[in-house]
Amino acid sequence: MEQRQPSSHEMRARMGFAGSIVIGLGIAAALWSATHNMGVTVGVAVAITIALMVAFTGAFRKRGPRPPHDDAQDAEDPGPSA
């Protein structure tokens, strides 16, 4: 498997996922201490976490076509001629 650095878009998406999960867990802990009702806690926390994931990844989405990696070759480029 090749080792490569993830693109900036991929890193922003991962950070959006991680941030929304952390916020969702904080909301779940706060709701549990306030309501002591597991159904309400899980339902509301999961809904808010999913909404934050969609919002964060939508906000971080890169506009326009993704540039190719440095080691990628064009389909029109036949490569080095021998």
Side-chain angles (χ1 to χ4, degrees), residues 24-75:
L25 286 174
I27 290 170
L31 281 174
W32 173 250
S33 68
T35 64
H36 294 292
N37 186 341
M38 184 62 76
V40 170
T41 299
V42 170
V44 171
V46 167
I48 290 174
T49 301
I50 291 172
L52 287 173
M53 280 185 182
V54 170
F56 285 163
T57 56
F60 293 142
R61 182 161 297 163
K62 191 175 191 179
R63 304 291 184 234
R66 183 175 178 192
H69 288 287
D70 294 335
D71 58 349
Q73 291 184 357
D74 292 335

